[in-house]
Amino acid sequence: MSNLLFPKIRGLTWSVTKTPTFSTEIQESIAGREVRVQNFQNPIWEFTLSYEYLLNDPATRDENGQTPLETLAGFFLARGGQFDDFLLNESDLTGRLEDSVYSGQPIGTGDGSTTSFQLVRNIGGFLEAVQNPMNQTATVYVNGAVKTQGVDYTIASGLVTFTAAPAAGASITADFIMLHRVRFHTGSSRSGKEGIEFSNFYFNLYECKEVQLISVRQ
């Protein structure tokens, strides 16, 4: 598991596809009645990216000495394909800060005894657990009063744990940047090989029609 951030690379084209997925066990009786079992509460997200062009001109090297093609190819190679997971900032794909930046997000109400509260984000009324706030940090407020991380609370896997339980009825909110933990999701051949395809369509120009990422649990 790495905490490296998926690189923001010029050439990413519209559209970016994101798909929330669930897994449900369904048993149907002869009479047509169903029994359904939800295997997990929070969705697994799948992202499909397409790079219309990836420059490989030495004149386009970045501060790390890499061209855009080398950056993407090198990141994939360093992860060992599907082996290693990493972090993804959704706003880097969409250009929309609201896809990752959350302010004043309610995460719970104190009862005088509970000390741990999971960071969540609200998507149309659905509260999705957030396990990967950027750098495992968040600004947490109790009844609007800011608390100090490392003194008043700690965060691990997005779980906020207070040193002293918030008072009954106290509103608990948080500001944070949400990241997805993902890995590459590639088709496998019968030989077990996996990869992504880079097409050289012009001098120093490549394209990569499909990069698939899938979120993983911690």
Side-chain angles (χ1 to χ4, degrees):
M1 180 176 75
S2 88
N3 288 319
L4 293 176
L5 194 62
F6 183 72
K8 188 175 180 179
I9 303 170
R10 193 170 69 178
L12 180 65
T13 187
W14 300 108
S15 59
V16 172
T17 302
K18 56 181 183 179
T19 307
T21 65
F22 287 94
S23 173
T24 305
E25 302 288 342
I26 302 176
Q27 290 186 343
E28 184 177 332
S29 71
I30 296 175
R33 296 185 181 88
E34 290 184 345
V35 175
R36 293 178 296 278
V37 177
Q38 186 175 359
N39 290 328
F40 40 83
Q41 181 179 357
N42 292 289
I44 295 291
W45 289 89
E46 297 180 6
F47 298 88
T48 302
L49 317 178
S50 179
Y51 290 87
E52 188 174 45
Y53 66 93
L54 291 165
L55 293 170
N56 199 36
D57 187 336
T60 64
R61 295 189 187 279
D62 60 17
E63 64 275 9
N64 298 314
Q66 303 295 316
T67 67
L69 172 68
E70 291 169 342
T71 298
L72 181 56
F75 191 84
F76 176 78
L77 294 170
R79 306 284 74 73
Q82 299 182 124
F83 174 71
D84 193 18
D85 54 71
F86 48 93
L87 297 171
L88 172 71
N89 187 331
E90 192 174 330
S91 293
D92 287 345
L93 308 182
T94 65
R96 185 176 181 270
L97 287 179
E98 293 82 358
D99 287 330
S100 60
V101 179
Y102 294 86
S103 299
Q105 172 64 54
I107 63 170
T109 302
D111 60 10
S113 60
T114 301
T115 57
S116 295
F117 300 84
Q118 181 70 47
L119 291 177
V120 295
R121 65 167 177 167
N122 189 326
I123 307 176
F126 175 79
L127 297 180
E128 180 182 13
V130 173
Q131 292 187 310
N132 294 282
M134 182 175 283
N135 299 321
Q136 288 297 325
T137 63
T139 303
V140 176
Y141 307 82
V142 177
N143 278 341
V146 65
K147 298 300 178 180
T148 302
Q149 185 167 345
V151 177
D152 300 311
Y153 65 93
T154 58
I155 300 178
S157 297
L159 186 67
V160 177
T161 301
F162 289 94
T163 54
S171 172
I172 306 165
T173 59
D175 303 337
F176 56 89
I177 298 174
M178 175 196 168
L179 303 178
H180 294 274
R181 180 163 293 282
V182 299
R183 64 168 172 80
F184 285 101
H185 184 42
T186 65
S188 297
S189 68
R190 291 182 180 178
S191 63
K193 296 178 182 177
E194 56 204 48
I196 54 177
E197 184 177 273
F198 299 97
S199 176
N200 185 192
F201 67 92
Y202 195 72
F203 181 67
N204 278 341
L205 279 175
Y206 286 72
E207 63 183 0
C208 183
K209 289 294 188 181
E210 188 173 88
V211 175
Q212 291 187 316
L213 309 175
I214 186 168
S215 63
V216 297
R217 306 284 190 209
Q218 289 179 241

